[in-house]
Amino acid sequence: MSNRLPPLTALRAFDAAARHMSFAQAAAELNVTPAALSFQIKSLEEHLGAPLFRRLNRAVELTEAGTALSRGAAEGFQTLATAWRAAQRTQDTQTLTVTAGPAFTAKWLAPRLYEFAQSHPEIELRFAASLQRMDLMRDNVDVAIRFSSSVTPELYVLPLAEEWVMPVMTPALAAQYPTIESLTHAPIIFDDSVRFLKAPIAWSDWFAALGVSYNPTSGPRFSQADHALDAALAGVGIVMGRRALVVKDLAEGRLVAPFPTALATGARFSFLCLKGMENRPQIATFRDWILTEIEKTAHITDNLTILDLAAS
Amino acid sequence: MSNRLPPLTALRAFDAAARHMSFAQAAAELNVTPAALSFQIKSLEEHLGAPLFRRLNRAVELTEAGTALSRGAAEGFQTLATAWRAAQRTQDTQTLTVTAGPAFTAKWLAPRLYEFAQSHPEIELRFAASLQRMDLMRDNVDVAIRFSSSVTPELYVLPLAEEWVMPVMTPALAAQYPTIESLTHAPIIFDDSVRFLKAPIAWSDWFAALGVSYNPTSGPRFSQADHALDAALAGVGIVMGRRALVVKDLAEGRLVAPFPTALATGARFSFLCLKGMENRPQIATFRDWILTEIEKTAHITDNLTILDLAAS
DNA sequence: TATTCAGTTAAGTACAGCTTAACTGAGGCG
DNA sequence: CGCCTCAGTTAAGCTGTACTTAACTGAATA
């Protein structure tokens, strides 16, 4: 019983047969005749020294050995196919597939997409639905923007700007509540997405930092940061806005932050890609573009006091 | 750019070359000449339309495409090799590889091993070091005994006896503390492994069940149940013993449970194997043997009151 | 300058893996 | 009941993939 792999073509034939549970269909998939497939399976069974299929009247079924083999065979070939596609993808300098959370996609990427398309018409950006579990490898995604910093040896990780939070509102609302004391009567929008931070930041923390003892508890709650911001943009109330998600609205005057005190979160968005891929043209271009875009709104910080509660 | 897989022999050659970072070593591994390997790689590069290796003076290094391909290729072939070994294993009716936690191995399996070897000399039992993450597939393990009941469609799960806990001690210690009141002065051993239960059971729960208000807090603590039991067997004190781990010691008189009130935990050990494998001779034999062994000590429950705190 | 070492190239060969074609044996159907 | 169909097997022969040996390249070492 050798420890080496059996002939791979035979294994692939078996995989197809096991997936279809039919030699004829498997033969069709592999573009060979049923006869060829029959031989492949037979040769594999000889290698193993035991049958893999039980031949029935008009069907086949897996033996125990076949069952055991089929699981890993399917997975193995799947992995190989994905890897091959990943290699092909490196040859394609035109498309770039990016994944990000819904909030970052809606409030950072989407508003800047037009700018990117203008400056880099040669690159076709694609978005992959945001997955909690990010599979840069498995899902053929080139770049992920993630709000966490899990470090793995497989990944190239570039931390983007530090994330802080600060109350933001429409200019109209700001006019209604000009002082910090009056703000305690303003309608509050709760963004529950900050709960994922290691040290969640509460409204009372911010008021306390400005010397006001106030702990608001009632008001609309949103589990997604972008929904909370949309509500704030509609003038519903004031919201604790995360830097990355509000800078553009602040820069363009749709939102204002009349009290220029922000709280550091200790967290940041990071740019992730597989190690060794960070210098592929599209990826490097996209990374540089992100950094430039962040730089464009860096002046927001100029008049800002950023307090780090954890440090003090 | 075809979506189908490239020639598999070429892929395997590439995998070997990428793992060794040397064509010569890869050729040696595959028992072919370097010339053959060189051709294989070349053909793969032609399929891809781009080089996979950068040929340097005395070495080779992966290109970006090569890097992308090598990750999945290694994993894919690894998976295939494991699957093939799993298939080979089904042909072997002599050996059976079992994994279990340290406590179950030490206090249930080990003391009964001799009996198993006697009744089933045709089966060679092997033990795999207990892994938290159990990989019946990946690690070529046939059977796992686990103290949890995560249900996955891939697994055959057979719950074994319900687990309850009850104070146990040496007969000598029991003589010293004959009444429940006197027991409040006895040395207590804490088994922290019960913390993994959904509803952890504390000493105070048990005393309360017997109408005594007492919440011991000081005494030696063990993170592994078998170590706590070893201490109790040495006469160090009384310990909250889990059924599976103490029945044999109780049946043979090394430990006693003078107060026949046990608390249900709602948990149990389960017998796990890959679906479709449960009827392989060794696995079925081992399963039936476990059930018989449990039956042998079932009479322990006869004079026992088992309280379910969660139900009441 | 010669040697060695890693990889490439060339030419030839053998067998793995394919095809076509005929066979088996169980259902389904008129 | 006999005929057809369908899924898989077997046989015979062909093709080209994947191997071999042997000679070549070109940089590093001595």
Side-chain angles (χ1 to χ4, degrees), chain A residues 2 64 71 88 91 275, chain B residues 2 50 71 88 275 280:
Chain A
S2 94
E64 277 166 7
R71 299 177 210 271
Q88 289 181 317
Q91 291 318 108
K275 232 169 217 165
Chain B
S2 96
R71 300 175 209 273
Q88 289 180 319
K275 233 170 215 162
R280 282 177 57 207

Side-chain angles (χ1 to χ4, degrees), chain B residues 137-215:
Chain B
M137 186 73 206
R138 191 184 305 183
D139 297 323
N140 284 316
V141 167
D142 297 300
V143 170
I145 309 290
R146 283 284 177 252
F147 193 61
S148 69
S149 47
S150 65
V151 180
T152 53
E154 285 280 281
L155 292 179
Y156 167 89
V157 180
L158 176 71
L160 303 175
E162 291 293 321
E163 191 82 331
W164 39 248
V165 295
M166 168 170 79
V168 297
M169 61 203 82
T170 55
L173 212 62
Q176 264 186 274
Y177 302 97
T179 67
I180 181 76
E181 288 77 17
S182 67
L183 210 59
T184 60
H185 303 108
I188 302 269
I189 298 169
F190 292 88
D191 172 6
D192 288 347
S193 73
V194 296
R195 303 209 171 205
F196 294 111
L197 291 172
K198 287 168 214 154
I201 291 189
W203 273 99
S204 57
D205 297 327
W206 185 81
F207 277 107
L210 269 78
V212 177
S213 176
Y214 175 50
N215 185 19

Side-chain angles (χ1 to χ4, degrees), chain B residues 100-116:
Chain B
F104 194 85
T105 304
K107 291 295 165 189
W108 202 101
L109 284 174
R112 290 167 175 84
L113 258 191
Y114 181 73
E115 205 290 320
F116 184 84

Side-chain angles (χ1 to χ4, degrees), chain B residues 10 26 29 41 49 66 138 146 158-159 174 192 234 267 292 299-300 302 306 311:
Chain B
E29 177 186 308
I41 304 265
R138 191 184 305 183
R146 283 284 177 252
L158 176 71
D192 288 347
T292 310
H299 63 87
I300 286 282
D302 290 351
I306 300 174

